[in-house]
Amino acid sequence: MTYIMRWLIIAMAFTICQGQLSSVLFPGFMNTARNIIGTIAGQPLFNTVAKSAGDLVADAVFEITRVPVAVARAVGVSDNTPAVINDNNIRGISDAILADYRAGLKNRDAALSVGDLIRKYGYPLEKHETVTDDGYILSMYRIPSKGPVVFLMHGLLGSADDFVIAGPENSLAYLLSKEGYDVWMGNARGNKHSRRHVEMEPSNARFWDFSWHEIGCWDLPAMIDYVLNTTDTKSLKYIGHSQGTTSFFVMGSQRPEYNKKISLMIALSPVAFMSNSRSPLIRLLSPNAGLLYPIFKTFGLYEFLPDSTFLRVLRKLMCDASPLSEVMCSNTAMLICGFGFAELNATNLPVIFGHVPSGASVKQLTHYSQGYLSGDFKQYDYGSQNNLEKYGREVPPSYPLEKLTAPVSLFYSDADWLSHPDDVDKLYQRLGNAIDIHKIPHSQFNHLDFLWAKHFKTLIYERLRKLLKAT
Ligand SMILES: *[C@@H]1O[C@H](CO)[C@@H](O)[C@H](O)[C@H]1NC(C)=O
Ligand SMILES: *[C@@H]1O[C@H](CO)[C@@H](O)[C@H](O)[C@H]1NC(C)=O
C-alpha cells in the first residue's frame, strides 16, 4: 500500500515538474491519481501502514530532487544561487563562529518566554488578546509607555519574540521603548502565541486553512483596531518584517479603509513580488506548489512542521556534514530565509534558536511559491476550476497596490534571499504612496539581519528612528 501511494505521488510530482505540461497532456491522469490517493488515504489501514503523511511527501520531493534538471530549475543555476553551506564558503570562519556559538549555549535567555525576557531586562509588560472576525484568538505583547504607538509585526515562522531576542542592547522593541514609544507586538494566527480559535483546535485541519492573505485581511485589522481603541488614538506607526510587510500590503489593498489608521509604515525586507527570490525552499516548492497543496491536504498535513522529513530533505540538498552547517541547518527559519555570516552574532544564536521558528501553515509557504512562479502579487491560486468558484475567474486577482495610500518606507538589501532588489523596486513603483526607499549599505546583509544584525543600530535603527520622528 505504502509503495503504491509513494509511486503515485512521485508520478504526479514528477509529471508536474517536467514543465507544467501534465495537466494539458494528461488531464485525466491527475484527477485519477488524486481520486485514488483520496480513496486510499481514507482507509483506516492507510494510517497504520504509512510511515506518516509528512514522510510520504518528503520521499516524493526527494525523488524529484534526484532529477538533476529539476534540482537545477528549483534552486537556480545562475549566480543567484544562494550560498549553500559547504566547505568552500565557510573555510576559515567556521571555527570562530562555532566557538562563539558554543559560548552562547550557556545563555539562559534561550529558554525564557518572551514575557520573562522582557521583564528580565527591566521593561514593563502587558499581554493582550483580541478575536478576529473569523474567530482566531490572537495574543499581543506590549511594552507600555505614554508615547506614540508603534506596532511591530513579525515575518514567516516568526512571532513577537523576534523583536526582543537580539539581546538587551540591540532588540528593536527595547530600542523603541527607550525612545519613549508605546510598543505593541502582534502575533499572526498559527504562531505559538496565537494557536487558538473560538471553535476550532489546531488539530483540526480547517484551523490551518489560511495564508498571509487571511493574516492581512483579518488579523492585522483586528489587532490594529484593538490597539487604537485601547490607547485611544486614531493612528499608529507600523513596522513589519518580511511577511509582516506582505500581510500589510494585503490589508492596505484589500481593506483600504485601514490606510488612514497608519501614519507611517516601515517595511524591513519587504516581500510582495517574488520572481527573483533566492530561497531554495520557495523555489523548490514552486514548480510543485499547485501540486503539493492538494497532496498535503489529502493527508491532512496543514501545519508546517519544522521537524518534518520534508525539511530533512531540504537540508540534505543545501548543507554538507560539517559541524557549522549542522548548527545552521538545524533551524528551519534559517533554511528558508537564509543567513549570512557577516552580520551574524553567533553568540546569540542559541537564544534565537530557542525562540524561532514559531509555526506557520503550509499554505503560507505555497502562496509565496506561487508568487515566485507567477511573478505577480496576487491572491491564492486554487487551480482554474476552483478559482472560478472562489473569485469568479480562472486566474486569481492581483492585489491592487495602488489603493495603498498609507505612507510606506522600504528598507532592502542586495544579499536578501527572499526580497530581491528588483522585486522591491517593482513594489516601490506600484505602491500608492511609497515615500522612501533605502538600501542597507552592506553587501552581505541578509533577510534575518533586518532583525538581529550585529550592527542593527547603525545599519537600521538610526534611519528608522529619524523616519519615526519625522512623521
Ligand atoms: C473599545 O474599548 C472599550 C472600553 O475600553 C470597549 O468597551 C469596547 O468594546 C472596545 N471596542 C472594540 C472594538 O474593541
Ligand atoms: C551578541 O549576542 C550576545 C548574547 O546575546 C550579546 O550579549 C551581545 O551583546 C551581542 N552582540 C551584539 C553586537 O549585538
Side-chain angles (χ1 to χ4, degrees):
M1 183 87 66
T2 317
Y3 176 80
I4 298 172
M5 296 277 317
R6 195 177 306 168
W7 182 85
L8 269 175
I9 295 173
I10 291 166
M12 286 169 67
F14 191 71
T15 42
I16 291 252
C17 211
Q18 297 304 300
Q20 307 281 316
L21 284 175
S22 59
S23 48
V24 181
L25 298 177
F26 318 107
F29 168 76
M30 295 298 292
N31 285 335
T32 315
R34 268 182 208 145
N35 287 343
I36 295 174
I37 287 190
T39 315
I40 299 175
Q43 294 177 0
L45 186 61
F46 165 75
N47 294 318
T48 54
V49 197
K51 288 187 288 181
S52 81
D55 287 350
L56 283 173
V57 175
D59 286 350
V61 174
F62 185 59
E63 293 300 327
I64 299 168
T65 56
R66 284 175 10 154
V67 184
V69 178
V71 178
R73 194 186 302 148
V75 298
V77 284
S78 64
D79 296 340
N80 275 346
T81 315
V84 284
I85 308 183
N86 58 44
D87 275 349
N88 294 330
N89 57 36
I90 59 173
R91 191 173 293 145
I93 55 170
S94 172
D95 288 349
I97 293 172
L98 276 172
D100 284 351
Y101 170 73
R102 293 195 180 113
L105 285 173
K106 293 191 276 296
N107 193 336
R108 307 227 347 265
D109 288 4
L112 292 184
S113 71
V114 58
D116 289 341
L117 265 181
I118 292 170
R119 278 188 292 260
K120 172 175 170 179
Y121 290 110
Y123 294 89
L125 171 75
E126 290 175 10
K127 191 177 175 190
H128 295 263
E129 259 176 34
T130 186
V131 182
T132 67
D133 285 350
D134 58 350
Y136 287 85
I137 304 166
L138 309 177
S139 301
M140 285 162 281
Y141 291 93
R142 177 193 191 187
I143 304 178
S145 159
K146 298 221 181 328
V149 176
V150 181
F151 185 85
L152 309 180
M153 192 60 193
H154 63 81
L156 182 69
L157 295 166
S159 73
D161 302 21
D162 294 8
F163 301 107
V164 300
I165 54 177
E169 298 304 320
N170 249 346
S171 296
L172 180 57
Y174 300 148
L175 291 168
L176 292 170
S177 180
K178 276 189 256 190
E179 205 87 45
Y181 290 102
D182 185 4
V183 182
W184 290 75
M185 291 166 270
N187 287 291
R189 59 184 63 190
N191 91 11
K192 62 185 173 191
H193 303 301
S194 294
R195 290 171 66 94
R196 282 182 300 148
H197 186 274
V198 290
E199 282 164 9
M200 298 183 285
E201 296 291 327
S203 56
N204 182 336
R206 269 184 48 232
F207 181 96
W208 297 101
D209 191 11
F210 62 83
S211 81
W212 33 261
H213 175 82
E214 284 74 16
I215 295 172
C217 287
W218 307 111
D219 295 3
L220 295 184
M223 292 191 284
I224 288 168
D225 281 340
Y226 179 92
V227 172
L228 293 180
N229 189 28
T230 308
T231 56
D232 198 18
T233 40
K234 293 260 179 305
S235 67
L236 53 75
K237 299 167 202 286
Y238 181 108
I239 304 176
H241 173 244
S242 186
Q243 184 193 266
T245 72
T246 317
S247 49
F248 183 91
F249 300 138
V250 170
M251 176 183 76
S253 52
Q254 296 298 112
R255 305 195 62 180
E257 68 274 22
Y258 278 84
N259 284 302
K260 62 177 189 302
K261 305 185 182 191
I262 309 295
S263 57
L264 173 69
M265 188 279 190
I266 295 178
L268 302 176
S269 184
V271 182
F273 298 103
M274 298 284 292
S275 49
N276 296 295
S277 168
R278 283 164 282 193
S279 166
L281 184 82
I282 299 294
R283 289 179 176 218
L284 197 58
L285 282 173
S286 67
N288 309 297
L291 161 96
L292 278 176
Y293 191 64
I295 294 179
F296 281 119
K297 206 165 165 173
T298 308
F299 295 124
L301 195 81
Y302 287 84
E303 183 174 4
F304 188 75
L305 295 169
D307 297 324
S308 64
T309 320
F310 178 76
L311 286 164
R312 258 173 266 147
V313 169
L314 190 67
R315 252 165 236 145
K316 233 181 245 175
L317 202 69
M318 287 174 56
C319 312
D320 70 359
S322 78
L324 180 59
S325 56
E326 246 154 61
V327 171
M328 300 306 297
C329 290
S330 69
N331 193 283
T332 312
M334 299 270 162
L335 269 183
I336 295 177
C337 304
F339 51 85
F341 292 112
E343 279 296 314
L344 176 78
N345 180 357
T347 320
N348 197 46
L349 266 184
V351 179
I352 292 171
F353 287 1
H355 293 86
V356 181
S358 302
S361 75
V362 169
K363 211 168 167 183
Q364 280 168 260
L365 277 148
T366 46
H367 198 174
Y368 274 134
S369 292
Q370 291 177 354
Y372 173 68
L373 213 57
S374 75
D376 198 2
F377 182 46
K378 58 185 179 184
Q379 294 194 40
Y380 200 88
D381 191 344
Y382 293 90
S384 46
Q385 196 62 39
N386 295 333
N387 288 343
L388 262 178
E389 274 170 41
K390 196 165 165 64
Y391 308 120
R393 45 189 284 186
E394 289 192 3
V395 178
S398 302
Y399 293 108
L401 285 168
E402 69 282 358
K403 287 193 182 162
L404 212 151
T405 53
V408 175
S409 167
L410 305 167
F411 286 58
Y412 71 102
S413 70
D414 274 341
D416 193 322
W417 280 21
L418 283 167
S419 177
H420 189 277
D422 294 350
D423 291 335
V424 177
D425 188 55
K426 191 165 163 188
L427 172 67
Y428 181 67
Q429 306 297 334
R430 304 273 176 95
L431 280 169
N433 188 14
I435 57 164
D436 180 51
I437 181 163
H438 174 66
K439 181 162 94 175
I440 308 298
H442 187 315
S443 64
Q444 293 177 56
F445 208 79
N446 207 331
H447 196 66
L448 295 173
D449 294 329
F450 284 89
L451 293 169
W452 308 314
K454 278 196 273 198
H455 298 94
F456 182 84
K457 270 194 245 179
T458 46
L459 289 172
I460 305 257
Y461 189 67
E462 273 174 20
R463 186 184 181 88
L464 187 149
R465 180 173 170 268
K466 283 185 202 147
L467 281 162
L468 289 176
K469 281 236 154 70
T471 54

